[in-house]
Amino acid sequence: MAAKFLTLACIRNESFGGLSPRPHYPSMPKYPKGVSETDKDVEGSEAKAAFSVIGMTCSACAGSVEKAVKRLPGIREAVVDVLNNRAQVMFYPSFVTEETIRETIEDVGFEATLIQDHQTTGKSSQVCRIRINGMTCTSCTSTVESALQALHGVQKAQVALATEEAQVHYESKIISHNQLLEAIEDTGFEAILISTGEDMSKIHFKVDGIGTDNSMRMIENSLRALPGVQDIDIDPTVYKFSLSYKPDMTGPRNFINVIESTGTGRYKARIYPEGGREVHRKEEIKQYYRSFLWSLVFTIPVFLTSMVFMYIPGLKHGLDTKVVNMLSIGEILRWVLSTPVQFIIGRRFYSGSYKALRHGSANMDVLIALGTNAAYFYSVYSVLRAATSQDFKSTDFFETSSMLISFILLGKYLEVLAKGKTSDAIAKLMDLTPDTAILLTLDSEGNVISEEEIDSRLIQKNDVIKILPGAKVASDGFVIWGQSHVNESMITGEARPVAKRKGDTVIGGTVNENGVLHIKATRVGSESALSQIVQLVESAQMAKAPVQKFADRISKYFVPLVIVLSLSTFLAWFLAGKFHGYPKSWIPSSMDGFQLALQFGISVMVIACPCALGLATPTAVMVGTGVGASQGVLIKGGQALESAHKVNCIVFDKTGTLTIGKPVVVNTRLLKNMVLQEFYELVAATEVNSEHPLAKAMVEYAKKFREDEENPTWPEAKDFISITGHGVKGIVRNKKIIVGNKSLMLDQNIVVPADAEDMLAEIEAMAQTGILISIDGEMAGVIAISDPLKPGARDVISILKSMKVKSIMVTGDNWGTANCIAQEVGIETVVAEAKPEQKAERVKNLQASGYVVAMVGDGINDSPALVAADVGMAIGAGTDIAIEAADIVLMKSNLEDVITAIHLSRKTFSRIRLNYIWALGYNLLGIPIAAGALFPSSGFRLPPWIAGAAMAASSVSVVCCSLQLKYYQRPRKLDALEMQGVKVE
């Protein structure tokens, strides 16, 4: 999933000209110089090559290979997979050859060999998601997981009970997804394919008006002829067309136009309604609700005839009327009414237990089937014996079996209802996309010709969309006209609206506040940032936390152990009664010793609940990751959550993590009488010609004096010279301007007065950079430039101390700056001038000392340390490689979210512990009580139907306990910090 998340690049503030799912480097043109993106001849001559790259050890290596390859002319795309030591390159053969690409990779320092075509055709390793119906406990998930893992070609299989889904990594050349479905169905569960790795751009249409097979073939041929269409699947029963396509080349509106223009316009196409997780969940809730209501229709009369009417004289006489020998009307009624509950409404328990036992495992269905069958068939035996005997007085338990099934169905209904709420966060994210969008048609000069309202799912790449004030942004893209403020809190968690103007990126699902915007769509459908976040959260909910292994181990032995305990309980009470081990007065008047023992045995069997144990971890992880996503903290699964709650040491990178990450002017001191605006006009006019980051900082600061202009023009600088490592000089408005360091001034024979010397010393003591400015040979001023600390950085370190978390700073910067920054934020341990591999080494040393280490970083140079740490946290505005390497992504780039991530993980794990205490405690207390432990001393006995109700309630209570996490509030100290951040800005 980490690789999928690479496409979140649009969250970063990139230039709009080359929005790409991979890191975009300015010097790497997508097309060769002089070739436009629309040049069909070049595009048609595209080729693909794969290389084996030996020697890569981390994402930083992959980044360097990718960067080098993309610098070559004629490279369309390059993707490097560090895990499989492969590089895949799309290129134009007329500009570059495979051999040149191979040599370029070797120049970076890695061994590269070309993989021949027969090895590269198609992507071999794929991931598919499958919905599995009918799983009730961890024993079921283990059965399915084992069956999938046993298949040749399956690399990894994860089955989640809470989501009722499987995620399978498999080799598509060895095994197909249909074989995976068959394997699951062989274990006895229903399997429905949700998606395969090929579905990144897939859409489904329903076509009305088709009369014959010939019509269907005609539409299929018309669609196949379109460029970019990769595959078409047709379901003729519902006239459903499923198309896989390349979004760069075509899109859904083209398909609809082709379908509707085929056959003189008699066909109508619309997007096929998708049955997602929510639709399935609603259907499951309806099924349990219907089953429960039908069971009540039969169970209430059974309950009344056995427990209420027996105390109403007239009715009691009628029910006790004998029909055949000792067989009464009441017994016949109860038998007739309980039979449909046992075999029709309770059929799901029989089929579930048959499937489980067929594969050598036992689940909750086995316990329910055994318990209800024991009660039902003993009652049938009792009734038949009464019908054939003159003196046998029967006692039936028909109410036990039917009430047991009714209560279990009620429990399952409440459980699926509660489980549905655990995925609310995903449902809310998916609902962010607007239903419709306004599509604009532009002429060659960019003027609007027409506008049309369309379904937002029909948006294609490079469409121009109009976003009205108050409307949701329909797609990821960049602004081509207009300015406004956009509320991105629903995606990034950032509370303040973000200003947007021409060239700025926007994220689909965010809300436009006050101005009209025209945006160009860059990522649509499953490529969008919103879809990527949803996929990441769904994938995180699939990943099991290590603590889940505890429940998986118990579930293997739980059901067999309960069956043994149940039989032991029955035998103990039966034999005790047979050999007068307890007084006869203990036996209730309505039953004998055998029936009392049977009731105890059934109670033990149905009170034991493996479901509560199985749901303890996944439900809490589901809610925790969902809540995290809504707060702008993306947690990649249970492993990350579990590690984060143990963290007691955090290693911070400096640049871009503790500091903002770009130099800004923090102070200006003039040494001669002049207006500050005029001073900066001269500085900006000189420095605007330089690409140096410090030069850009001074120009940006100068723009503040000309706020009325969007792109101010500066006076011309004549005779401009850039002196590398020292500064620049030029003539502006007939004045000789020199901007640079002290050594440049001395080289130019300019006297640096004592005041300026003192200012420089003071500036450098504060870890800032001092820039001297001379006008006409005379010192005019000193500018202090710094990479300022993020608002609240000091408070974050202080709060972490109060949470007993040690903070360390590791940076590639010099010792002086590092010590100064560390002192300012309150960090005591500093490691400076560290290379990427030294950062990772430092993390490993801390782990060896017994710390559970989290690494917080933002750059490519942080990725080895992010991977080495127990928990890697990537600042969301950082690079894609850092985001890929991390376990937790902080989308807002706020340091406070480090605390939110740790605090949320601690809350989630305290909830998991509570769930386990409840689930285990319930079984450890419930089973002895059901076995009659309290009966000798108090006469208290748990009837089987109450035991069944208690079992159902235990699962519901665990899910409800997890749902309490939905009301998670981050520490109050952070709210005060956010207010402080507003003031600082």
Side-chain angles (χ1 to χ4, degrees), residues 11 48 69 96 141 326 349 373 381 403 407 409 413 429 445 494 517 584 595 639 717 739 823 840 843 901 909:
I11 291 170
K48 184 159 72 172
V69 172
V96 68
T141 61
M326 297 296 284
F349 302 118
N373 277 343
Y381 156 77
M403 285 172 77
F407 274 113
L409 288 172
Y413 166 67
L429 281 171
E445 292 174 7
E494 178 58 68
L517 294 174
K584 283 228 189 268
Q595 291 164 343
Q639 171 81 58
V739 183
Q823 208 171 343
V843 166
F909 261 79

Side-chain angles (χ1 to χ4, degrees), residues 258-280:
V258 166
I259 293 167
E260 295 188 348
S261 59
T262 305
T264 64
R266 70 173 181 271
Y267 307 125
K268 290 288 171 206
R270 54 196 165 90
I271 291 179
Y272 196 85
E274 286 295 313
R277 189 191 284 183
E278 279 308 299
V279 174
H280 163 68

Side-chain angles (χ1 to χ4, degrees), residues 527-720:
E527 289 185 343
S528 69
L530 191 58
S531 295
Q532 295 300 314
I533 293 169
V534 169
Q535 284 177 37
L536 190 144
V537 176
E538 284 184 336
S539 209
Q541 293 177 350
M542 292 295 303
K544 286 183 181 177
V547 71
Q548 175 72 24
K549 290 174 187 168
F550 168 68
D552 292 346
R553 278 198 301 271
I554 290 177
S555 71
K556 282 181 189 173
Y557 312 106
F558 189 89
V559 174
L561 181 66
V562 168
I563 293 169
V564 169
L565 284 172
S566 174
L567 288 170
S568 305
T569 302
F570 165 73
L571 286 171
W573 279 100
F574 176 68
L575 293 172
K578 195 86 174 160
F579 298 107
H580 310 294
Y582 59 82
K584 283 228 189 268
S585 58
W586 283 14
I587 304 170
S589 57
S590 59
M591 58 178 80
D592 60 22
F594 176 83
Q595 291 164 343
L596 180 68
L598 185 66
Q599 287 238 341
F600 280 130
I602 294 170
S603 291
V604 168
M605 198 169 289
V606 296
I607 201 167
C609 183
C611 297
L613 276 170
L615 291 168
T617 301
T619 52
V621 168
M622 269 185 86
V623 182
T625 51
V627 167
S630 67
Q631 303 246 357
V633 177
L634 295 182
I635 302 165
K636 298 182 184 177
Q639 171 81 58
L641 259 177
E642 182 161 346
S643 301
H645 98 280
K646 298 175 187 167
V647 165
N648 54 13
C649 176
I650 298 185
V651 176
F652 288 95
D653 174 45
K654 180 183 77 70
T655 309
T657 304
L658 289 171
T659 64
I660 283 168
K662 72 174 187 181
V664 293
V665 173
V666 289
N667 201 355
T668 311
R669 298 192 192 177
L670 297 178
L671 296 168
K672 63 187 287 187
N673 287 327
M674 65 187 299
V675 178
L676 194 61
Q677 182 172 351
E678 185 194 348
F679 173 78
Y680 269 106
E681 287 266 327
L682 298 171
V683 171
T686 315
E687 289 286 17
V688 77
N689 300 296
S690 171
E691 284 296 309
H692 197 281
L694 298 180
K696 288 179 179 175
M698 287 184 272
V699 174
E700 278 300 313
Y701 190 77
K703 283 180 184 177
K704 292 185 179 179
F705 296 101
R706 296 173 68 179
E707 280 184 343
D708 51 326
E709 296 176 54
E710 191 173 322
N711 287 307
T713 52
W714 307 103
E716 187 187 352
K718 295 172 185 170
D719 302 332
F720 173 81

Side-chain angles (χ1 to χ4, degrees), residues 758-818:
D758 292 344
M759 286 176 198
L760 277 177
E762 192 182 319
I763 286 165
E764 281 163 12
M766 293 164 69
Q768 296 169 357
T769 305
I771 305 289
L772 298 171
I773 292 87
S774 134
I775 301 173
D776 287 336
E778 189 185 342
M779 193 59 61
V782 182
I783 296 175
I785 295 179
S786 169
D787 179 5
L789 278 178
K790 284 185 177 173
R794 184 177 180 84
D795 297 299
V796 167
I797 302 301
S798 170
I799 293 168
L800 286 170
K801 271 184 188 169
S802 70
M803 292 169 75
K804 296 185 172 57
V805 177
K806 180 186 174 77
S807 297
I808 292 172
M809 187 172 84
V810 179
T811 178
D813 214 334
N814 65 68
W815 279 99
T817 306

Side-chain angles (χ1 to χ4, degrees), residues 286-304 334 336-349 372 398-413:
K286 269 189 204 166
Q287 277 180 4
Y288 274 115
Y289 183 64
R290 277 199 299 267
S291 298
F292 172 62
L293 287 184
W294 274 111
S295 73
L296 279 188
V297 167
F298 295 101
T299 301
I300 289 171
V302 172
F303 172 75
L304 292 173
R334 287 193 289 278
V336 168
L337 288 167
S338 64
T339 301
V341 178
Q342 184 70 32
F343 298 108
I344 299 171
I345 297 163
R347 187 178 64 233
R348 66 176 72 233
F349 302 118
T372 55
F398 286 122
E399 81 285 347
T400 295
S401 69
S402 55
M403 285 172 77
L404 197 49
I405 288 169
S406 296
F407 274 113
I408 287 161
L409 288 172
L410 172 63
K412 291 301 283 180
Y413 166 67

